[in-house]
Amino acid sequence: MNFFRKQFDKIKPYTEKNKFLHTAYDAFETLFFAPKTVTTGLGVHIRDGLDLKRTMVSVVIALQLCLLFGIFNIGHQHFAAYGVFTGYTDGLIYKILYGLLQILPLIIVVHVVGLGIEFYFASKKGHGVEEGFLVSGMLIPLIMPPDVPLWMVALSVAFAVVIAKEAFGGTGMNILNIALTARVFVFFAYPTYISGDNVWVSFDYNLLHKIFGLHHLTAGNMANVVDGFSGATPLALAAKGGWEAVIQKYSISQMFWGDIPGSIGEMCKPAIIAGALMLIITGIGSWQIMVSMIAGLLCVGLAFNGYASSVSGASPFLAVPFYYHLIMGSFLFAMAYMATDPVTAAQTQTGKWVYGFLIGVVGMIVRVINPAYPEGWMLAILFMNVFAPLIDHFVIQANINRRLKRSHA
């Protein structure tokens, strides 16, 4: 590391002549090196080696299994659509290469646009680059369809960073989750690119695929897609025909391990659970929010099952066994990485239980009752982001009132 330290010290004087360059230099220096100076002397200080930047890096590390499986699954679903390498491990290298070349431009666009805006605002304000986008920059590619146009992603990232973050004062001040704001922008501005049966599988080849010659493996056009192939997700099937329609196409094992079409990083449940455990063990993710969110989902799912069994003609989606909602769609990913956002979630202990439970309730209502929104967690979390400060207010006020009563007794 001494070599890199010397290189940083050499270029530092040159960057100080320009605000933007100095901001960029400061961002990379603090990413790789801890500050040389620390607070000394007597006094009360909180000392912890895990600062905000390293907290964000820990979340990025927790996402890596989801990213790796997402890369594989993009390629696996692509070749399965063309009837090539249909076995899970057949053509493994080609599947990984296709997925990597598909997601790489997406990650680059997200970071160039997002960090470019972050650097601009930091240089204008005269402070260092804030670390929040490290996580958002990794989450956004993982919650997008694999074939979403890059220009659309660039617009959504710019909208989320400027409107949902910088307009409120930057990292730590935003009310809404940045990654979900980017996704909801695409959902409402370009709904046909993020809903339906054909957006969850990448059929096309980009320039990188052609450079590596992958398009020759499937003759490279949609006419060669297997007859009868459908990229319908389990949720889309459940909305149309209930649980019977789901298990006719996908097994429980496929839904658990992630061998299904969907958003890039949200399909493999073991990878998500491993990341969630890491966040809980390191104290970064709130287990109270995760547990209460599961409880909210199960309670509403159980109520739906009871209603469907007692009322004839009820929607078949209501009769889907409540526990299978845990492995359908993006619930676990939203629970582990979105709802636990330390900035936009409730901060009090009691508030976290209420906040998580209501996300589970609202998300299930949106998922099952409203067929226009096949997945409810995006809207449920953003909705509860808005109410998180109010929940904390009532919790704190209740504590104050209780102590006042005790003091007057």
Side-chain angles (χ1 to χ4, degrees), residues 72 79 85 89-100 214 217:
F72 162 76
F79 286 110
F85 305 135
T89 56
D90 295 345
L92 188 61
I93 299 299
Y94 291 117
K95 291 175 180 176
I96 293 174
L97 186 58
Y98 180 90
L100 180 63
L214 295 181
L217 295 171

Side-chain angles (χ1 to χ4, degrees), residues 52-353:
L52 181 59
K53 191 161 290 185
R54 283 151 191 82
T55 298
M56 297 299 175
V57 170
S58 298
V59 181
V60 172
I61 292 172
L63 284 164
Q64 293 311 298
L65 282 179
C66 296
L67 173 64
L68 292 174
F69 183 84
I71 289 172
F72 162 76
N73 199 41
I74 292 172
H76 178 62
Q77 298 297 331
H78 165 81
F79 286 110
Y82 287 100
V84 179
F85 305 135
T86 53
Y88 208 56
T89 56
D90 295 345
L92 188 61
I93 299 299
Y94 291 117
K95 291 175 180 176
I96 293 174
L97 186 58
Y98 180 90
L100 180 63
L101 297 178
Q102 184 67 19
I103 196 174
L104 195 57
L106 190 58
I107 293 175
I108 292 173
V109 167
V110 168
H111 283 80
V112 167
V113 174
L115 288 177
I117 295 172
E118 292 271 355
F119 281 21
Y120 173 79
F121 276 95
S123 62
K124 286 295 180 182
K125 293 177 181 176
H127 61 63
V129 173
E130 294 159 336
E131 298 84 355
F133 197 77
L134 288 175
V135 172
S136 300
M138 184 53 64
L139 283 173
I140 292 172
L142 295 180
I143 60 176
M144 291 289 179
D147 218 13
V148 62
L150 296 178
W151 63 268
M152 204 176 290
V153 175
L155 278 180
S156 68
V157 172
F159 175 84
V161 175
V162 174
I163 302 300
K165 184 177 181 181
E166 297 300 339
F168 289 92
T171 297
M173 305 297 287
N174 51 295
I175 297 174
L176 303 175
N177 182 286
I178 306 303
L180 285 179
T181 304
R183 181 182 164 112
V184 83
F185 175 86
V186 176
F187 186 83
F188 285 110
Y190 310 100
T192 57
Y193 288 86
I194 200 168
S195 59
D197 293 346
N198 296 322
V199 304
W200 306 111
V201 176
S202 176
F203 296 100
D204 296 330
Y205 294 90
N206 62 31
L207 179 61
L208 295 176
H209 294 137
K210 292 175 181 175
I211 291 174
F212 281 84
L214 295 181
H215 60 298
H216 294 301
L217 295 171
T218 60
N221 62 71
M222 292 285 290
N224 294 318
V225 171
V226 174
D227 288 341
F229 175 83
S230 170
T233 63
L235 286 175
L237 295 170
K240 295 174 183 173
W243 184 242
E244 292 299 322
V246 176
I247 58 176
Q248 283 179 4
K249 184 172 178 61
Y250 301 114
S251 66
I252 294 172
S253 173
Q254 280 180 295
M255 287 185 277
F256 181 73
W257 290 103
D259 180 15
I260 53 176
S263 298
I264 294 172
E266 298 179 344
M267 296 300 103
C268 184
K269 279 62 182 184
I272 297 169
I273 293 171
L277 289 175
M278 177 181 169
L279 295 181
I280 292 173
I281 292 170
T282 55
I284 295 173
S286 167
W287 66 269
Q288 293 94 338
I289 292 176
M290 296 186 197
V291 171
S292 57
M293 196 170 157
I294 292 173
L297 174 143
L298 295 178
C299 287
V300 178
L302 197 57
F304 284 160
N305 286 177
Y307 178 80
S309 63
S310 59
V311 177
S312 62
S315 166
F317 206 169
L318 295 170
V320 172
F322 65 96
Y323 40 86
Y324 285 134
H325 280 282
L326 292 170
I327 59 172
M328 295 171 63
S330 58
F331 170 77
L332 289 180
F333 190 90
M335 177 203 72
Y337 300 106
M338 300 297 188
T340 57
D341 181 350
V343 175
T344 56
Q347 304 298 312
T348 57
Q349 293 302 316
T350 304
K352 289 176 182 177
W353 286 101

